[in-house]
Amino acid sequence: MSATVEETIQYASQESPDSPRRTVRVGICGLGTVGSGTVNVMSRNAAEITARCGRPVEIVQVGARRDNPACDTSQMQVSREIFDVATNPEVDILVELIGGTTVARELILTAIENGKHIVTANKALIAEHGNELFEAAASKGVTIAYEGAVAGGIPIIKSLREGLVGNRIQWLAGIINGTGNYILTEMREKGRTFEEALAQAQALGYAEADPTFDVEGIDAAHKLVIMASLAFRMPLAFDKVYTEGISGISIEDIRYADELGYRIKHLGIARGTEQGVELRVHPTLIPQRRLIASVNGVMNAVMVSGDAVGPTLYYGAGAGAEATASAVIADIVDVARTLEATPDQRVPLAGVAAGGQGQNCVLPMDEVVTSYYLRISAHDKPGVMSQVAKICSDQGISIEALIQHEPAEGEALVPVVILTSRAKEARLREAVSQIEALDTVEGEVVRIRVEPLG
Ligand code: HSE
């Protein structure tokens, strides 16, 4: 007969501190949105967590420059000096929630040096310094868990590292920045311009005063590279991700995409090919019939396709105090369950056993093959279409669909919208530069990649 929650708690707390099932002692650094959410959820769900873990898990210390009225730390030791947590012999697991890549890196290295396991939700830190941190952790026999770093509450790290481990991953594609998704959704549903939707996102607290990380795809690139490293057994290669933002997307393009049966989403995409792994973040036309096309507002979703399982979809809140706390606590419980295990008994840090990691083989963007949406501003004169068709055909690109409406009253220019066949990026770029050089074409050609996701 299984024990009740109360019996489990009583049993675990009666053990001596040296017993293998003693209380696991957690130190949290950073009491911002995610830190306070973690304190609150751990306190509210303590019995549930203990029952699942088979032992109590207690926050024994918080390191934070100031208190946060959103959570109660009156029963915890609070230090204004976060490095106290990294050196405290009473702490088993240091939870890094301060963000940034400088102090956070030093904090984690100090904690590792002091034999602590690490839980972090810091995507920039893992993406940019993960290789170094994993090596440091492996040499000390401790672990680093980072579920909260990607897509908030969605357990995508665990899915890639454990749930899908029997597959060869073919590709993954995700809406992994809630702010960008909110902006694109507002533009499509309310007809707002990019600037209006961004201002709205800032007013609601989704976007920072400087929105560069979110709208230019850097935040998504951090998350993509972490997922790709697990999916394709390769070292983290943040500097090799191709990144394009959404600030150039117009309502006009969203409307044409609709007319063609597509939605425009800002995707992080990683795909395994014979020549290397594609790593790219950019606005993308995706078929409206895909479930992921209906992921709107600030929500996140990731599709992962494996050779055995086929395409799978993971959906949920990509940010927020308690959603991210959910991921952070899952990591704390994972570490707590295996606190006394030897490193080879734990799930490996980067998802592969020692010696199992492959090379860092990112495919150069010129070699990437996709279809394209092109919008050309052309003069309403005979012969333009045949010139464009010839340029495409000379580059081995065929035209799969075309929209040309009558020019608006008094307008000399007419938008010509084309969906191309799949072509190498370098060939497409050459075709576009020849089209832009035509006398009959004005300005730059708008180009957005198309992915079937099936
Ligand atoms: N700024 C991120 C987003 C949330 O908008 O998705 C944290 O990763």
Side-chain angles (χ1 to χ4, degrees):
M1 204 173 77
S2 64
T4 64
V5 170
E6 289 71 23
E7 282 165 351
T8 310
I9 296 166
Q10 200 180 13
Y11 164 70
S13 47
Q14 275 167 356
E15 291 172 342
S16 81
D18 296 328
S19 150
R21 295 173 69 78
R22 65 169 171 77
T23 297
V24 177
R25 302 158 305 183
V26 174
I28 295 187
C29 291
L31 216 47
T33 306
V34 181
S36 60
T38 303
V39 169
N40 287 334
V41 178
M42 278 194 72
S43 151
R44 190 170 76 229
N45 296 344
E48 185 75 20
I49 292 165
T50 301
R52 290 185 185 279
C53 212
R55 61 202 305 178
V57 181
E58 195 184 313
I59 301 172
V60 294
Q61 190 176 19
V62 169
R65 286 206 195 94
R66 60 191 76 83
D67 292 337
N68 185 340
C71 66
D72 178 9
T73 51
S74 57
Q75 301 305 307
M76 298 160 201
Q77 183 193 338
V78 178
S79 172
R80 296 293 173 223
E81 174 47 72
I82 52 169
F83 280 79
D84 286 352
V85 182
T87 54
N88 182 352
E90 298 299 312
V91 166
D92 301 305
I93 305 172
L94 180 138
V95 182
E96 182 277 307
L97 300 172
I98 62 171
T101 53
T102 312
V103 179
R105 174 180 162 274
E106 280 169 36
L107 179 75
I108 289 180
L109 288 172
T110 307
I112 290 171
E113 198 49 44
N114 282 273
K116 304 194 187 317
H117 298 284
I118 307 295
V119 170
T120 178
N122 190 333
K123 64 223 149 193
L125 182 69
I126 296 296
E128 295 177 29
H129 299 287
N131 297 327
E132 175 201 13
L133 297 175
F134 293 166
E135 211 175 299
S139 74
K140 287 296 278 187
V142 296
T143 197
I144 301 181
Y146 47 94
E147 184 67 69
V150 180
I154 305 173
I156 190 65
I157 300 296
K158 203 179 239 316
S159 301
L160 288 167
R161 204 182 46 196
E162 294 163 54
L164 298 173
V165 77
N167 289 262
R168 271 184 292 117
I169 304 295
Q170 296 157 323
W171 55 265
L172 63 86
I175 297 171
I176 43 181
N177 183 269
T179 306
N181 200 37
Y182 173 83
I183 291 171
L184 290 176
T185 305
E186 286 288 293
M187 289 174 72
R188 180 175 178 275
E189 291 183 353
K190 311 232 175 90
R192 295 189 205 274
T193 62
F194 170 80
E195 289 75 18
E196 288 164 352
L198 170 59
Q200 178 72 9
Q202 285 169 321
L204 290 168
Y206 300 143
E208 307 277 338
D210 175 359
T212 311
F213 264 50
D214 288 326
V215 302
E216 296 305 337
I218 301 157
D219 175 79
H222 282 143
K223 296 165 182 167
L224 175 69
V225 81
I226 296 171
M227 293 193 290
S229 146
L230 292 169
F232 298 103
R233 289 193 291 111
M234 59 193 243
L236 293 147
F238 174 65
D239 56 346
K240 298 224 168 58
V241 185
Y242 172 83
T243 306
E244 209 178 281
I246 55 168
S247 49
I249 298 295
S250 68
I251 299 176
E252 200 179 356
D253 295 312
I254 291 173
R255 295 280 174 263
Y256 278 119
D258 266 356
E259 197 174 331
L260 289 159
Y262 290 83
R263 293 275 158 83
I264 299 180
K265 293 290 180 188
H266 200 198
L267 292 189
I269 300 168
R271 184 190 307 277
T273 75
E274 294 281 309
Q275 294 75 36
V277 177
E278 298 174 10
L279 278 184
R280 45 196 172 97
V281 173
H282 51 70
T284 315
L285 265 75
I286 59 175
Q288 274 168 11
R289 65 182 182 280
R290 300 277 175 243
L291 277 176
I292 195 171
S294 306
V295 172
N296 288 322
V298 290
M299 299 308 277
N300 281 200
V302 182
M303 284 186 83
V304 184
S305 184
D307 67 334
V309 72
T312 58
L313 175 66
Y314 310 83
Y315 168 85
E322 296 210 352
T324 311
S326 163
V328 168
I329 295 168
D331 278 346
I332 293 172
V333 169
D334 262 359
V335 179
R337 279 172 170 158
T338 56
L339 196 68
E340 294 80 12
T342 56
D344 60 321
Q345 291 169 327
R346 295 189 199 111
V347 177
L349 271 171
V352 285
Q357 200 164 57
Q359 294 298 307
N360 195 336
C361 51
V362 178
L363 192 69
M365 204 55 199
D366 271 359
E367 301 295 314
V368 168
V369 176
T370 62
S371 312
Y372 257 94
Y373 161 101
L374 303 177
R375 177 165 58 81
I376 302 164
S377 287
H379 289 276
D380 190 23
K381 288 185 182 156
V384 182
M385 276 317 301
S386 63
Q387 288 173 310
V388 169
K390 175 158 187 343
I391 290 170
C392 288
S393 138
D394 287 350
Q395 293 300 325
I397 300 165
S398 46
I399 293 172
E400 303 281 318
L402 187 140
I403 301 176
Q404 186 190 342
H405 296 307
E406 281 179 328
E409 185 82 21
E411 271 289 340
L413 292 172
V414 57
V416 176
V417 171
I418 289 172
L419 282 189
T420 74
S421 61
R422 282 162 54 77
K424 267 196 187 167
E425 186 88 6
R427 283 188 167 260
L428 194 286
R429 204 174 31 245
E430 176 56 31
V432 165
S433 73
Q434 288 184 26
I435 293 169
E436 284 172 345
L438 291 173
D439 291 343
T440 45
V441 167
E442 285 288 318
E444 287 185 2
V445 173
V446 173
R447 39 187 158 158
I448 308 174
R449 294 171 190 86
V450 182
E451 287 290 339
L453 300 184

